Amino acid sequence: MREKFGYEVVLEKPKDRSFGHFATPIAFSLAKELRKSPMIIAEELASSFSDDTSVFSSVASVKGYLNFRLSENFLSEYAEWALNNADDFAKQNKKQKVLLEFVSANPTGPLHIGHARGAVYGDTLYRLAKHLGYDITAEYYVNDAGNQIDLLGLSIALYARENILGESVEYPESYYRGVYLEGLANGALEKFGKEIFTDETRYKELALWAKDGVMKIVVDSLARLNIHFDTFVNESSLYSDWDRVMEKMGDGCYKKDGKMWIASEAKGDDNDRVVVREDGRPTYLAGDIVYHNQKFERGYDHYINIWGADHHGYIPRVNAAVSYLGYDSTKLETLLSQMVSLLKDGEPYKMSKRAGNVILMSDIVDEIGADALRFIFASKKSDTALEFDLAEFKKQDSSNPIFYIQYAHARINTLFSKSTCKSEDILKAKLIHLDENADSLLFDALLLPEVIEDAFVSRQVQKLTDYLKALAASLHKFYYDCRIIGNDDEEKLLKLFMVVALSLKTGLSILGIEAAKSMTREEEV
């Protein structure tokens, strides 16, 4: 359509489907340039489609809007192509190279529920991009340097001295706690002997060993959510490149009061920031500077970070560093993931002392399953607060959206198991001369490619969950309003349902969820 008009065209979907499948307000944007009223422009544009019946059955001007109705033949042929190319349905070939960094939680303990939101958001973006053909890499930045790692070694040693050696110990105000320390302490005892718990000079050695054990817990927890990473980068491996990176920073860094600062205020930050403390210890920002230099030296076309909302202030600092390093900071995009509030039967979810007074991601997966957790966290904009009640996602009814969608897919499978129509006859059926409701359902099912692209480009993965909920609702309504088995058009309707099932299955797959083939509470058709 861009080629037809010579302009970018914004397409909208009328709420009243009687107006058509699509509408565009392009005539209003052209009115000033062409010095004509939008109504006249729309009428002229509509008449230019009069001979084009291969795609549109009608193009009409309505109060300055252009309304398009796709032809039955076009929809039928598109549905035919989709079913014959199910593995490639909604796929594209974007080719752009993208580096996506997400989760990147400190390797000092298991992932909590807050980490899960960024994990699901990042992995869903990754899956959307993969489906669209982007050459995308999922990366985890392991913060294995600094005080938090030293504290891990101390926490394990104190736990072991109290619970294994039977000593009376005094815990500092800040330390790590949780049942995971038991496994690490026992593993350290077996590997190093009890002396490592009483020799403070070996706490660093203990911490670096334990870090790998914690990362295994993290990776295993993510795998339960069907989340996997292509690459891991350790912060500790980057500092050998510190001097070279500081040279690249040039005047972007300077020394004052015994500290090294980045001149980030000149690049839009509120203030300049400390990069190296007076005692020579690098700040968190120092690692980010070296890491982002390494990222850009790998030559991707675009870079995406997904950080917790509490890291909002770091965005201008890192952008400043990227600019001083000589790179285009507009290629770096940082997205934020807000916190999560959990309820259980309407009451705040109780944190577990066993887990160290945090809500572990793995505990919630145990309660409601990976599919429900993934769907919940993908169903709302990541930069807005999320509150949900675990009890709602255990219900086996339409109030539970993931059940409702899975039930739609299972219902279609049940219809096929009950039909006596031959599969070859179903596949030969042409999806033409359908009634308005069937036509609308077919159109909705074929919208998936547009939804996938929009969800990725806008970075709003909830657009996919919203689409799947709406498609499932349309399917259920159609099922109740229209008899399928025994209908004179049974073969057509079953083929229509095949298209719906394909869109449901493909959409769920991109969310990291396997479509259900049957449901234990499936109703009789």
Side-chain angles (χ1 to χ4, degrees):
M1 204 171 292
R2 181 190 303 133
E3 292 77 11
K4 178 83 173 178
F5 293 145
Y7 297 92
E8 289 291 335
V9 180
V10 176
L11 292 178
E12 302 170 354
K13 289 180 279 297
K15 290 183 179 179
D16 184 348
R17 192 57 60 81
S18 66
F19 284 111
H21 295 114
F22 293 108
T24 178
I26 188 173
F28 292 93
S29 59
L30 293 176
K32 186 175 181 180
E33 179 182 341
L34 300 179
R35 297 182 179 180
K36 295 180 181 179
S37 75
M39 276 70 83
I40 293 174
I41 295 171
E43 288 170 3
E44 292 175 349
L45 290 173
S47 65
S48 71
F49 284 88
S50 58
D51 296 329
D52 186 359
T53 58
S54 60
V55 177
F56 304 108
S57 61
S58 69
V59 180
S61 167
V62 180
K63 296 182 179 179
Y65 278 79
L66 271 183
N67 289 355
F68 300 88
R69 180 170 294 281
L70 296 169
S71 71
E72 286 186 330
N73 284 330
F74 174 80
L75 288 172
S76 179
E77 289 172 8
Y78 187 22
E80 193 79 34
W81 179 90
L83 293 173
N84 289 333
N85 297 273
D87 292 339
D88 294 321
F89 181 46
K91 287 188 176 179
Q92 296 186 36
N93 189 18
K94 294 292 187 180
K95 295 185 178 179
Q96 188 184 40
K97 285 185 66 178
V98 179
L99 180 60
L100 173 63
E101 180 223 329
F102 61 106
V103 185
S104 297
N106 290 341
T108 53
L111 297 178
H112 59 64
I113 197 65
H115 296 134
R117 190 170 191 191
V120 170
Y121 179 48
D123 188 64
T124 307
L125 272 183
Y126 176 80
R127 290 168 177 271
L128 286 165
K130 278 282 189 183
H131 203 85
L132 292 169
Y134 288 90
D135 181 3
I136 188 167
T137 299
E139 185 157 284
Y140 191 119
Y141 178 49
V142 183
N143 303 112
D144 61 343
N147 290 337
Q148 74 272 10
I149 297 298
D150 294 336
L151 186 58
L152 176 63
L154 173 62
S155 299
I156 295 170
L158 292 175
Y159 177 92
R161 285 167 60 183
E162 180 178 55
N163 295 281
I164 295 177
L165 304 184
E167 297 181 14
S168 176
V169 300
E170 184 175 336
Y171 286 92
E173 185 174 335
S174 296
Y175 69 99
Y176 301 120
R177 65 205 79 181
V179 72
Y180 75 102
L181 292 175
E182 179 181 355
L184 293 172
N186 287 327
L189 178 65
E190 182 177 343
K191 181 172 179 62
F192 300 107
K194 63 183 180 181
E195 294 79 13
I196 200 165
F197 303 131
T198 57
D199 184 353
E200 294 185 10
T201 64
R202 298 187 67 190
Y203 285 0
K204 185 74 170 182
E205 177 186 3
L206 174 61
L208 293 176
W209 170 84
K211 176 259 300 185
D212 293 334
V214 172
M215 280 306 300
K216 184 179 186 308
I217 295 172
V218 167
V219 169
D220 289 347
S221 294
L222 290 168
R224 290 189 64 194
L225 274 179
N226 202 11
I227 297 173
H228 307 275
F229 285 84
D230 300 311
T231 54
F232 292 81
V233 173
N234 290 338
E235 180 187 358
S236 59
S237 69
L238 300 175
Y239 287 104
S240 60
D241 205 23
W242 175 254
D243 291 340
R244 184 179 73 87
V245 174
M246 285 301 101
E247 276 190 37
K248 288 184 70 174
M249 287 287 290
D251 294 336
C253 282
Y254 63 91
K255 290 186 177 180
K256 178 185 174 183
D257 300 329
K259 306 170 186 174
M260 180 174 287
W261 303 70
I262 180 174
S264 53
E265 186 176 4
K267 297 288 187 180
D269 195 5
D270 294 336
N271 301 287
D272 290 352
R273 307 291 174 172
V274 176
V275 176
V276 181
R277 303 176 181 91
E278 290 173 295
D279 59 7
R281 288 180 301 121
T283 63
Y284 190 87
L285 179 58
D288 269 329
I289 292 173
V290 186
Y291 177 41
H292 280 82
N293 179 71
Q294 191 231 52
K295 280 185 177 182
F296 275 80
E297 286 188 339
R298 282 186 267 165
Y300 287 84
D301 299 310
H302 194 67
Y303 306 82
I304 302 174
N305 296 332
I306 297 178
W307 293 348
D310 57 333
H311 283 70
H312 180 270
Y314 270 83
I315 297 175
R317 307 171 201 178
V318 172
N319 285 344
V322 169
S323 180
Y324 282 125
L325 288 165
Y327 303 114
D328 180 359
S329 62
T330 64
K331 290 185 175 182
L332 177 63
E333 178 183 2
T334 301
L335 307 170
L336 298 177
S337 174
Q338 273 286 359
M339 294 299 293
V340 178
S341 298
L342 273 183
L343 303 174
K344 190 171 183 178
D345 296 318
E347 298 294 327
Y349 189 89
K350 292 181 180 179
M351 292 186 287
S352 166
K353 292 182 180 179
R354 170 182 167 275
N357 287 326
V358 296
I359 301 172
L360 295 184
M361 183 178 84
S362 57
D363 287 346
I364 306 307
V365 173
D366 288 341
E367 282 225 34
I368 62 174
D371 288 356
L373 183 60
R374 286 197 66 123
F375 192 89
I376 294 164
F377 284 1
S379 64
K380 192 169 184 179
K381 285 185 67 175
S382 70
D383 60 355
T384 58
L386 172 64
E387 179 180 89
F388 70 96
D389 194 320
L390 294 180
E392 295 300 312
F393 288 85
K394 291 183 177 182
K395 293 179 179 178
Q396 301 293 292
D397 59 35
S398 60
S399 68
N400 178 350
I402 186 62
F403 176 87
Y404 194 57
I405 295 167
Q406 292 282 31
Y407 189 38
H409 189 269
R411 170 165 273 163
I412 293 170
N413 279 340
T414 299
L415 281 169
F416 275 88
S417 69
K418 292 182 176 294
S419 174
T420 58
C421 293
K422 295 180 180 179
S423 57
E424 56 265 32
D425 292 333
I426 296 171
L427 289 172
K428 286 178 183 176
K430 297 295 183 182
L431 296 181
I432 56 176
H433 306 312
L434 300 172
D435 66 25
E436 186 175 340
N437 291 331
D439 173 87
S440 182
L441 181 59
L442 176 60
F443 174 73
D444 289 343
L446 293 173
L447 276 177
L448 180 64
E450 178 189 342
V451 173
I452 290 173
E453 181 163 21
D454 185 24
F456 179 73
V457 171
S458 67
R459 310 297 193 244
Q460 296 186 44
V461 302
Q462 82 281 356
K463 291 184 176 183
L464 179 55
T465 60
D466 289 345
Y467 166 80
L468 292 175
K469 285 187 287 187
L471 182 60
S474 296
L475 181 282
H476 289 307
K477 184 178 187 306
F478 189 89
Y479 170 84
Y480 284 118
D481 290 347
C482 177
R483 182 184 179 190
I484 310 299
I485 304 299
N487 191 301
D488 290 343
D489 286 329
E490 182 177 338
E491 291 166 355
K492 284 185 185 180
L493 294 177
L494 288 175
K495 187 169 184 178
L496 165 61
F497 277 28
M498 287 176 70
V499 180
V500 175
L502 174 60
S503 290
L504 291 172
K505 181 179 180 181
T506 304
L508 287 170
S509 176
I510 292 172
L511 291 173
I513 299 170
E514 185 176 354
K517 295 180 179 178
S518 63
M519 303 286 277
T520 55
R521 291 187 61 190
E522 179 73 51
E523 297 177 1
E524 292 296 319
V525 295

